Amino acid sequence: MIYANDFNLRLSIESGQPLTFSSDYKAVGKKLELLTYVTQKGRIHVESAKNNSRDSIINFDYSGDYTRQSAEREVRTRLGLTDDLQEIYAKINTDQFMDNAISALYGMRVTHNDPWETTLCFLVSQFNNIKRIRLIIRRLINEYGEEQKLDGEVFHLFPTSESLSRATVQELMKCGTGFRAKYIRSVAEQCSNNVDLGKFYKMNYAKAKEELMELDGIGDKVADCILLMGYNKYEAFPIDTWIKRVVERVYFKGRKKSIKAIHEFASRRWGGFEGYAQQYLFESGRRNKIGKMVR
DNA sequence: ACCCAGGCGGGCG
DNA sequence: CGCCCGCATGGG
């Protein structure tokens, strides 16, 4: 059991982050959430006893080669519990809109995900919706992830880049990846040969983004998602259709702004924690359907 | 049936 | 640089 301050598991896993796409989770009744995370070492099964509250008691069990300590560390890291949320809120609570968003989404954290897992998830995400992203990732896991038997049940690990690079574009399309199949193929191949994703940890945000964007199918937005949720570079500010509309509406009186101008705005306003601000803008924009009435 | 979804690359002026 | 287009596919 872990006691976590300022944490809401439901919000954190339902806000379209990679752990949502690649883990099994479901609501049981109205207050229990489950998260099953399978790694090479074994399986971690998380349930939160409390929901919609400022603090959570996180119950979890584990099997395989995890020890109690390593499992707890995995849970804390992956759920973003290693960050001081109060400090982050102090930085991003710059106005009434953000203040409302923080109140409504209190305890939502940016999760910490494996870089390759994050890369694949956001390649799949482009011009797609969250429900279908989840469906496609689940198919890729079942089709290309190494099989593991734990507790008499069969699980699949998240597919490696090597595994996916052996597939043809046509085979990848059978999982519903559509026009993204060629990007997945290309990036998987690069990541299993000449590109070591680990190197981006050591680079600063700007340099890492520049190099990520050289990969096929990774543009401005996907690169920022990878850097934010895969490397926890909080200067990243992914701009999707939601964020663009929310920022234009809330901060520019509805006037159209370029991607470049929005990046500059975010950097000036939330410098250092743009990514956290983005997660709150994204989720509150979606919930309130801000900008749904476009021409 | 039609519309849209956590964009991107390529072609154009 | 900005603008516009096509792109695969499942769910509303």
Side-chain angles (χ1 to χ4, degrees):
Chain A
M1 191 181 88
I2 299 174
Y3 180 74
N5 282 331
D6 305 323
F7 179 62
N8 186 312
L9 180 62
R10 172 187 282 274
L11 286 172
S12 302
I13 71 177
E14 288 188 346
S15 51
Q17 305 190 45
L19 85 171
T20 312
F21 300 144
S22 51
S23 302
D24 294 316
Y25 83 98
K26 51 181 179 263
V28 176
K30 281 193 174 170
K31 53 182 178 179
L32 201 61
E33 301 291 333
L34 305 170
L35 172 65
T36 299
Y37 184 45
V38 183
T39 69
Q40 197 80 48
K41 289 179 76 175
R43 175 173 77 122
I44 295 178
H45 182 82
V46 177
E47 53 183 83
S48 175
K50 292 203 290 179
N51 193 41
N52 294 326
S53 64
R54 296 203 156 198
D55 306 306
S56 288
I57 294 167
I58 303 169
N59 295 304
F60 68 95
D61 59 56
Y62 53 92
S63 53
D65 295 333
Y66 281 106
T67 63
R68 181 155 207 323
Q69 199 175 32
S70 65
E72 181 174 325
R73 186 160 47 239
E74 177 84 28
V75 171
R76 283 194 178 280
T77 301
R78 185 157 170 87
L79 296 179
L81 296 172
T82 47
D83 292 320
D84 181 344
L85 201 57
Q86 291 305 329
E87 186 186 327
I88 293 170
Y89 282 164
K91 297 279 188 186
I92 66 174
N93 193 349
T94 53
D95 53 81
Q96 194 58 49
F97 186 87
M98 285 301 293
D99 192 63
N100 292 344
I102 289 168
S103 297
L105 303 170
Y106 199 94
M108 179 176 71
R109 287 175 182 259
V110 172
T111 60
H112 296 205
N113 304 274
D114 172 77
W116 162 248
E117 185 174 327
T118 310
T119 300
L120 181 60
C121 287
F122 282 106
L123 276 177
V124 170
S125 80
Q126 59 176 275
F127 197 44
N128 214 337
N129 60 64
I130 290 180
K131 186 162 188 173
R132 216 170 78 83
I133 296 165
R134 200 172 291 141
L135 174 69
I136 293 169
I137 294 293
R138 179 45 52 191
R139 287 171 177 164
L140 290 171
I141 289 171
N142 291 339
E143 191 67 29
Y144 295 99
E146 184 189 325
E147 209 173 279
Q148 281 219 330
K149 287 188 180 122
L150 283 165
D151 311 327
E153 265 184 281
V154 175
F155 295 91
H156 292 262
L157 299 180
F158 196 83
T160 62
S161 56
E162 288 78 12
S163 169
L164 288 176
S165 71
R166 277 181 239 117
T168 65
V169 170
Q170 281 190 336
E171 286 166 345
L172 290 172
M173 286 183 78
K174 287 181 191 162
C175 292
T177 52
F179 61 87
R180 310 160 193 84
K182 58 181 181 292
Y183 301 144
I184 294 169
R185 196 24 257 221
S186 166
V187 173
E189 191 157 50
Q190 297 229 53
C191 288
S192 51
N193 290 318
N194 51 320
V195 175
D196 168 23
L197 285 179
K199 72 181 178 183
F200 298 115
Y201 279 118
K202 300 187 278 282
M203 290 180 202
N204 66 37
Y205 164 66
K207 178 67 177 165
K209 182 170 179 177
E210 188 186 326
E211 289 205 18
L212 265 177
M213 285 177 63
E214 289 172 10
L215 299 178
D216 196 21
I218 299 183
D220 180 86
K221 190 268 178 184
V222 169
D224 270 340
C225 283
I226 295 170
L227 290 169
L228 176 59
M229 296 172 217
Y231 295 90
N232 298 295
K233 294 191 186 294
Y234 291 152
E235 309 99 297
F237 189 81
I239 303 174
D240 59 31
T241 51
W242 285 105
I243 292 298
K244 188 166 188 300
R245 290 186 298 221
V246 170
V247 171
E248 285 167 350
R249 154 95 65 107
V250 175
Y251 299 105
F252 292 98
K253 300 177 180 172
R255 296 198 310 276
K256 293 293 180 190
K257 288 288 165 183
S258 69
I259 300 292
K260 186 167 177 288
I262 294 175
H263 275 305
E264 287 165 359
F265 168 79
S267 173
R268 279 198 308 276
R269 195 171 189 88
W270 299 297
F273 292 94
E274 296 94 314
Y276 241 98
Q278 186 271 357
Q279 193 59 29
Y280 279 76
L281 292 171
F282 173 76
E283 192 57 20
S284 80
R286 257 191 351 136
R287 286 176 179 237
N288 300 317
K289 302 196 184 312
I290 286 182
K292 260 306 184 184
M293 54 301 282
V294 283
R295 60 206 79 269

